[in-house]
Amino acid sequence: MEKQTITIYDVAREAAVSMATVSRVVNGNPNVKPATRKKVLEVIDKLDYRPNAVARGLASKKTTTVGVIIPDVTNIYFSSLARGIDDVASMYKYNIILANSDSNEQKEVQVLNTLLAKQVDGIIYMGNSISDYFREQVKRTKTPVVIAGSIDDKEELESVHIDFTAAFEEAVSELIHRGNKKIAFVSGPLSQPINGKYRLQGYKNALAKNNIEFDQDLVFETDYSSHAGEILWPALSSSNAQAAIVGDDELAIGVLNGAKDAGVNVPDEFEVITSNNTRITEMSRPKLSSITQPLYDIGAVAMRFLTKMMNEEEIDEKTVNLPFGYIKRGTTK
Amino acid sequence: MEKQTITIYDVAREAAVSMATVSRVVNGNPNVKPATRKKVLEVIDKLDYRPNAVARGLASKKTTTVGVIIPDVTNIYFSSLARGIDDVASMYKYNIILANSDSNEQKEVQVLNTLLAKQVDGIIYMGNSISDYFREQVKRTKTPVVIAGSIDDKEELESVHIDFTAAFEEAVSELIHRGNKKIAFVSGPLSQPINGKYRLQGYKNALAKNNIEFDQDLVFETDYSSHAGEILWPALSSSNAQAAIVGDDELAIGVLNGAKDAGVNVPDEFEVITSNNTRITEMSRPKLSSITQPLYDIGAVAMRFLTKMMNEEEIDEKTVNLPFGYIKRGTTK
DNA sequence: ATGAAAGCGCTAACAT
DNA sequence: ATGTTAGCGCTTTCAT
């Protein structure tokens, strides 16, 4: 014999009121006489009634859940954002459907569609390149979408992030001012605008301001992994680079370790600055100097932004730029 | 003018069939004449119809979403499990509602309740201690729950993990056989059964088998963070420990770095073995020797296990123990 | 302040 | 192979 799920109808009958009244007390509608409210609440407690969020979602056309597309939960840059997202989401009574995309266009679009099918009230997208197809899908839906921790190079979608160009310009200037002329630019795929467009531009800006000629041979494109960084050393070494600015912390710790393994003294013989200031930066010896970004806040603000869109509040700016900084640790002199 | 959402009724009318038939083709029911199916599919495509999963959930009492309770997404041990969970979930057409609990009993129970309100088909719990209250709630619901990566010391709930006792026993034996007599046991809260019961037991077993007396002063209880490990060195040093077995990788990298910062040569003067073999183990120098566990698989198997429970298939064992191992890297001689 | 009743968009018997 | 028809459990006008 199946355990009978108890519904709003059951409590209405038991409390001798209508379903509408029960609904009102459950939803905190003030138009209920205190005595009635009390009685209903007692019955709810007695019957151990739990509102069915699915039924509510169907009737109200709001699910109080938002979709979150992430390249890989295991990546601490993105998981840090995700943490900020979830915290603000629960603050506003939302839940999160988390889906890994592996930065794969197909998966991203497919995930987007199942998220929409599930009637999420909004979506946060994390990932470093927005494909045209994805963009089209987003533009066709009325479900709000915001991008967290990356940038839409077409500037069509709402997003929250730091100014990657300015941050790189500042970090590279730092390196230059300490006497380095040959500075390697190390990042993930240049096809991702965050690398090939914004960060690289910042790098070039710093060189230009200091009258250093840009050298394509100092640009290293690889994977976002510490292993990729480790095996990069021979190439880095033969380029005669004196320092490196690296676009990802795991990659950077790999670069650092690759150099150390080759007997290089960091920072005396080679300096490195990384980009995300995740906990990883504190795990190496020497510790990694880094551009700082408010990772948790980027997620938090993105989620807050999304709540505004879901409530159809006025949005002043499509893009919110959060402040970045720089922290000197042991990998710079 | 609001954009009209198109429903199953619209495609039924347009295709000149009944809603039931449309439902059948959408759900892949074979009882549809090929010609009819084709026609319906065309209309679906033409109208750009997307089934409403919420309505489907209400009617079918299945949401194809499972809840995942995680202490902190930012923790790579748990996020690695989460990745396995999500991959298997999508394989079976499920989505994941991810909720951070901070290992806080209140939040865990609250999250459990909202998950149940959202009518998830199943739940995966990650966390190192199952409170009585949580356990009671779980036992009252018919929604299946499985624990991933930790152990229910009351052995009432289904779970997937390695044999923590045997793994610690093996790792500590390793340390003993290499000549260490005074071995520190470093872990998170001993109130968590995984530490205070299972791992500690393994540690004691290894000592006993080698006729070494257990010394309470060699047991160090702290937080799961690299910083906690770093500042542990003075205490570790004055205990005259010659080696340490550490229950968490971030904590272990902290212990390693604390020792190095104090001028200690690892592994010559001090050896360390960690427990989870996450990517963190490859980021230090020397790299961390570690107990190995199939993290991704633990998540994957837990999710697979859950699908069986959701389908009400027969389950032979409540507990599935996955194999562990040991990998020697640079922090052991 | 409360109730009646019509959906929300779909599935699942049941009938044909 | 296809159609009819109840619901699923709730919210939301609209009355009163």
Side-chain angles (χ1 to χ4, degrees), chain A residues 163-206:
Chain A
D163 181 336
F164 297 106
T165 301
F168 254 53
E169 184 174 330
E170 186 175 315
V172 173
S173 297
E174 193 71 34
L175 253 14
I176 294 173
H177 295 154
R178 234 173 289 94
N180 297 292
K181 299 274 185 219
K182 293 178 77 74
I183 299 169
F185 173 95
V186 181
S187 76
L190 295 174
S191 59
Q192 301 180 344
I194 191 177
N195 296 319
K197 188 171 173 187
Y198 300 99
R199 285 173 168 157
L200 189 55
Q201 188 58 54
Y203 170 81
K204 287 177 175 172
N205 289 165

Side-chain angles (χ1 to χ4, degrees), chain B residues 74 77 267 275 322:
Chain B
T74 257
Y77 173 73
S275 299
L322 260 28

Side-chain angles (χ1 to χ4, degrees), chain A residues 98-118:
Chain A
L98 201 277
N100 294 89
S101 73
D102 286 315
S103 295
N104 174 130
E105 293 188 11
Q106 293 236 11
K107 282 195 194 174
E108 287 177 348
V109 171
Q110 193 216 305
V111 158
L112 177 66
N113 284 323
T114 71
L115 253 19
L116 293 174
K118 294 224 168 161

Side-chain angles (χ1 to χ4, degrees), chain B residues 8 23 49 52 56 59:
Chain B
I8 198 173
S23 178
Y49 166 70
N52 180 324
R56 176 182 291 179

